[in-house]
Amino acid sequence: MESVKRNRAHKARLDLSAAQVAVLDAQAHTARALWNLLHEYFTFRQGRFATVKDCDAAIREARREIDWMGQLPAQAAQAVLKTYRQAWANFFNPDHPAKRPAFKGRGRSRLAVDVPQARDLQITRVNRRWGAVNLPKVGRVRFRWTKDLPGLSRGGPAGRITGARLVKDACGWQVVFRTETLAEPAAAHQGPQVGIDLGITVALALSDGTMREHAPWLGKGAKEHLRRLEKKSARQRRARHRGEPISRRLARTYDQIARLRARAKRRAVDWQHRTTTELAATFGVVVVEDLKITNMVRSAKGTVANPGMNVAQKAGLNHSIAGQSWGRTVTLLEYKTSERGGQVVKVCARGTSQTCHRCGHRDGAARDGIRYACANPACGWVGHADTNAAININNAVGTPVSGRGDLGVTRSAKRQPPRAA
């Protein structure tokens, strides 16, 4: 069989000095400013979008005329142009959820710098815990070695590093290596089929009666600390007038809040990776609901003329749904089951939690919290509501997914591709 390529990413923490952090921060802000300049140049022309050639010439001219533009390596600047063009391509793709590219605000965008060519990295392993990598205009930097990278370790996976991206989060700068490996096509997975109900009280309920649950992402003390920090930031914001820059004290409070939330996210992602790996190795077919999460977490505020009801309750529900990251769970399941010869099937979610899996009787009042009691006197099944929903999801394989519309419909005028200049 012919080998297939697998493109994956590996994230590692960088060990930087204060001077190196300052250099990377300056590069990232320059990349953000370049994006904004490209967006202005690309969209504010006389009725036509600029071509790649025009944008490339504009970048070269800007690097000659603007001193601080030289802080960003030339290849990283070209990567900004490539990413910007891809953002427009995603927007014009009717099957892609991307929104229209927009300006990036200083405080609302994540700092990132691209290193598109792997030959500039010169990755080596220093010892069991650390590796070293070259970063343009920064120098030799150590990074945390947590797994063998393809093509670099004796006995490690075969493949190569194709590039890297430097990103900054609340925990500091990280390097994300882009890897490419060769693997034999997986044989068909012989495991059983299972339906999974994504929930809040129970994270994952399976149709075989088992469940996958997790502890709170933050402990009791960390939750209380986060609550106090959020109250503190609210008091500090009240002392700030509109249009004024935030104070250093408020910035420190924001940083502390961000670090706590980043800790919770790391724990959530770790649990999702471990759980989805176990599910992909056990089951050959995984059936999940085709949820429109963006629609589910919309605010209930309404308008001035038609205000919404139970706004606070809906906001709390939206926060709980967002905290479970259902979309990321399904994404991890999709590629992990595919690598093992299995598949993920999406079915319509309508009525799965209100229908009895045994007799098919549907009644919205049959579910009370986590308990489901069938209202059909001839059936009377009683059990866990999430398990009942998971069995219905598993049984729904082969039924059409409603609400999709005609796949052959033309794109709206809003998403028509631009005319070439």
Side-chain angles (χ1 to χ4, degrees), residues 9-226:
H10 172 62
K11 189 175 182 180
R13 176 168 57 89
L14 291 173
D15 182 25
L16 301 171
S17 66
Q20 291 172 331
V21 169
V23 172
L24 280 182
D25 286 351
Q27 289 187 15
H29 283 300
T30 304
R32 179 188 57 82
L34 179 58
W35 172 287
N36 291 339
L37 292 174
L38 278 173
H39 187 61
E40 182 177 5
Y41 179 74
F42 191 74
T43 55
F44 287 85
R45 290 167 64 88
Q46 295 295 328
R48 291 179 181 269
F49 287 158
T51 63
V52 176
K53 182 178 179 180
D54 294 336
C55 293
D56 181 68
I59 290 176
R60 294 176 184 273
E61 183 178 357
R63 289 179 62 84
R64 288 193 300 266
E65 297 180 355
I66 304 175
D67 294 337
W68 54 264
M69 194 68 71
Q71 297 177 109
L72 186 67
Q75 292 183 356
Q78 293 298 319
V80 174
L81 173 58
K82 182 179 179 180
T83 305
Y84 180 76
R85 296 288 299 191
Q86 186 61 45
W88 278 107
N90 294 340
F91 172 71
F92 289 123
N93 184 354
D95 299 324
H96 201 285
K99 297 181 180 180
R100 183 185 179 92
F103 289 103
K104 290 187 176 182
R106 183 180 180 89
R108 297 189 304 272
S109 59
R110 185 171 65 169
L111 299 180
V113 180
D114 212 287
V115 186
Q117 295 192 0
R119 68 166 182 259
D120 298 332
L121 298 173
Q122 300 181 17
I123 304 170
T124 58
R125 187 167 187 174
V126 177
N127 53 42
R128 186 171 64 90
R129 295 180 178 272
W130 295 95
V133 60
N134 274 357
L135 301 181
K137 297 182 179 290
V138 178
R140 198 73 174 160
V141 176
R142 295 201 313 169
F143 67 91
R144 187 72 168 170
W145 192 284
T146 56
K147 66 179 295 186
D148 289 336
L149 297 172
L152 295 175
S153 303
R154 181 179 300 177
R160 63 193 182 101
I161 304 292
T162 60
R165 186 172 177 82
L166 310 174
V167 295
K168 188 177 185 180
D169 58 16
C171 301
W173 279 97
Q174 322 278 333
V175 58
V176 183
F177 296 108
R178 292 189 285 265
T179 66
E180 181 183 277
T181 57
L182 294 176
E184 297 295 330
H189 200 300
Q190 300 302 318
Q193 176 177 310
V194 68
I196 298 180
D197 178 63
L198 306 172
I200 297 175
T201 305
V202 176
L204 302 178
L206 277 59
S207 57
D208 61 2
T210 61
M211 298 179 183
R212 305 295 187 272
E213 300 181 78
H214 57 77
W217 306 133
L218 292 177
K220 184 177 180 181
K223 282 185 177 180
E224 177 63 19
H225 188 201
L226 179 60

Side-chain angles (χ1 to χ4, degrees), residues 261-289:
R261 291 177 176 171
R263 183 193 305 175
K265 182 178 179 180
R266 288 198 307 272
R267 292 174 178 174
V269 172
D270 177 70
W271 179 85
Q272 287 176 314
H273 270 292
R274 288 187 287 104
T275 303
T276 53
T277 299
E278 180 257 326
L279 293 174
T282 305
F283 301 102
V285 179
V286 180
V287 189
V288 297
E289 298 169 291

Side-chain angles (χ1 to χ4, degrees), residues 319-331:
H319 182 75
S320 299
I321 293 175
Q324 293 296 329
S325 300
W326 294 337
R328 185 167 58 217
T329 300
V330 174
T331 300

Side-chain angles (χ1 to χ4, degrees), residues 240-253:
R240 172 175 167 264
H241 298 288
R242 182 182 295 273
E244 292 182 352
I246 64 173
S247 64
R248 293 183 179 180
R249 291 183 179 180
L250 180 56
R252 282 197 300 269
T253 305

